[in-house]
Amino acid sequence: MSTIMILFIIPFTLASLFPYFEGQTLSSPFANKGQWNLMQASIGISPMHMQLLHNDKVIMFDRTDFGHSYLPLSNGRCRMDPFDTALKLDCSAHSVLYDIPTNAFRPLMIQTDTWCSSGSVLPNGTLIQTGGYNDGERNIRMFTPCFDETCDWIEFPSLLSQRRWYATNQILPDARVIVIGGRRQFNYEFLPKTPNPKNSPSSSIPLNFLQQTTDRSENNLYPFVHLLPDGNLFIFANTKSVLFDYKQNSVIKHFPPIPGEDPRNYPSSGSSVLLPLDENLGAPEAEVVVCGGAPRGSFESAARGGFMKALGTCGRIKVTDPNPSWVMENMPMPRAMGDMLLLPNGDVVIVNGVGEGTAGWEHGRDPVLTPVIFRPSQMVNRFSVMAAASRARLYHSSAVLLKDGRVLVGGSNPHVFYNFTGVEYPTDFSLEAFSPPYLAPDFDPVRPTIRYITNNNVLGYRVFCYVTFTVANYGSASDVSIRIVAPSFTTHSFGQNQRMVVLKLSGVTYLAGQAYYATVVGPSTAEIAPPGYYLLFVVHKGVPSSGSWVQVM
Ligand SMILES: *[C@@H]1O[C@H](CO)[C@@H](O)[C@H](O)[C@H]1NC(C)=O
Ligand SMILES: *[C@@H]1O[C@H](CO)[C@@H](O)[C@H](O)[C@H]1NC(C)=O
C-alpha cells in the first residue's frame, strides 16, 4: 500500500489548482435539458455503423453499393470491385475515422459492401467487423487503432461460414466473438475460427429460436443480445426472448413474451440495453430493458404509404429472477429506431428515431427530435424529455457515448441512394454531439476528475485498484460509484456489446487538498466483464467524471 501511496502524491499538487465553488446552489439534476452542438456539417458519408475505439477515435462506415460518397479517398486511391452493384471503380470513401479531441476526420478504405453489418472490439482493441451485403456478406474486416494516421481496414474475404446481413455480435468471456443470425440465417458462428474437426466449410450452428421468431416482415433481425453474469446469452427476437447456452447449443429458458405482441426488432426496430451490473450486490442481478418499436403490420402498412404510430412502451425484465416477468411503462412519446445508450451515471438516453413507421427505405415519418433520459433506479418520474435536436435522424442513423460523457450522433439516410433534394428527409452527413444535463457547468463543484489509476490502467479480475480523483465539494463515500462501460458497436438502433459494470467499492479515502482515492475491486468474472477496453468513470452525486480508458484482463 505504501508504495502505491507514493505514486499517488504527484498528481495531487494539481488538486490545489482547482477552483473551489463556495455557496453555489445546485439546480436539480434535470432542471436543464442538455445541449446540442453541431460538430461537423458534413463528413461525406452517412454513418450507419459507429464504434468508439480506445484511442478516442470513432470509426464510422456506410455502404458501398449506391455509388460514390462525398468524401474522396486519400492519396489518389480507388477501389476496384468488379462485383459492386453500383461502381466498379470508386475513388470515394465509405468509412471515416473521426478524432474526438481535434474534431477532425479522415477517409478510410473499405473494399466490399458493409451494408447492415455487425461488429465487436476484441480484447486487444482491434475492431472486428463481420459481414454485409453482396460481395461483402461473408467477409470480415479488422481495424487496429493507431496513434498516427496510417491505420486502415484490413479485409479477409469469405471467412464467415454464412452470409451475415443484419446479424448481431457479442464478445464472449473467452475473447471469441459470437455472430448471431442475419437475414434468413437461423444459426450462429464464432470468430476467430477454431479448427473444425469435420473440416466442413460450414461451421455454423443452428439456432431454431431465430426460425421460430421470424414472420412475414422478418421482425427478428438484429436480435438484441446481452451476455449475462451466468455466462449465458439473453437473446430477444420479435416479441420473444430466451436464455441461451451457446456452449451446449441449448435454450435453457423461455422468458414470457413482451406484453402487447408487437415486434421490437428490425424492421420494427426498438432498442435494448442490459442495465448496469452492480458488483456491490453480491451476485449481480441482470435486468434488460427494451424500448419502442413498431406495431405488427407497420412495415407492410408503410410499404403501402400508411404510417402507423410507433410503440410508446418500454418493458423491463429481471432475467436473473427465478420467475421473471415484464414490467411495462410508457415513454413520454412513441418511438421506433431510437438508439439506447448507457450513460456514465447509469441513466439511459434514447435518441434518434421516428414517431411513425418503421425501419426500411422511405418507411419512417414524424422524426422524434427530442432525446429522453430514462433513470431506471428512480421510483417515479423515470423519464425526462431533453432539448430538441435540429436535425431529423431516421433510418441509418447512429449514436455512441464518448469519453467525456457526450453522445455523438450521426447519419440518417432513409433512401436507397444519397438524396439531398426532392425528398422529405434528406440524407444527413452531419455529426452532432448531445451533452446530457450532467455536463452543465452548474455541476462543476461536484464533478469528479480522475487523476490516476493504479497498475497503468489495467484492471485485473478480482484485483484491488485505486482510483484517485479530485472534487471540489465532496459528499461522502455513499455518493461515489466507479463504473466501467464497454462502448457499443451501434447500428440499426442497437448497441452491440454495450455493457456497464459498477465495480465493488471498498471505500473512499481522503488524501489531501481536493483529492480522494477510491478502492475498488476488478470485475469478479469474465462473464460479468469480458476482457477488453472499457471507459472507467467516477460518479459523484450522480455527476460523472470524464472517462479514463482501462483494460480489463
Ligand atoms: C488483435 O488480435 C487480432 C486477432 O488475433 C489480430 O489480428 C490483431 O492484429 C491484434 N491487434 C493488436 C493490436 O495486437
Ligand atoms: C435520389 O438519388 C438517385 C441517385 O442519384 C436518383 O436516381 C433519384 O432520382 C433521387 N431521388 C429523388 C427523389 O430525387
Side-chain angles (χ1 to χ4, degrees), residues 242-260:
V242 289
L243 184 65
F244 183 64
D245 178 351
Y246 62 86
K247 292 176 188 150
Q248 306 296 329
N249 186 29
S250 79
V251 169
I252 297 175
K253 190 175 203 166
H254 291 265
F255 296 106
I258 194 167

Side-chain angles (χ1 to χ4, degrees), residues 253 256 318 320-325:
K253 190 175 203 166
K318 201 172 274 181
T320 42
D321 275 356
N323 286 304
S325 61

Side-chain angles (χ1 to χ4, degrees), residues 167-188:
T168 299
N169 295 11
Q170 171 69 55
I171 186 84
L172 297 173
D174 64 5
R176 286 182 302 165
V177 173
I178 186 169
V179 187
I180 301 176
R183 198 153 183 223
R184 297 183 193 134
Q185 295 299 332
F186 310 125
N187 55 61
Y188 60 97

Side-chain angles (χ1 to χ4, degrees), residues 446 448 469 471-482 505 507-510 516-518 538-542:
V446 295
F469 61 93
V471 62
N473 289 356
Y474 179 69
S476 69
S478 62
D479 295 320
V480 175
S481 61
I482 314 284
L505 178 70
V508 181
T509 309
Y510 176 66
Y516 302 80
Y517 72 89
V538 175
V539 180
H540 175 245
K541 298 196 172 188

Side-chain angles (χ1 to χ4, degrees), residues 11 116 208 296 319 354 403 544:
C116 300
N208 293 335
R296 198 166 293 287
V319 290
V354 296
K403 183 167 96 166

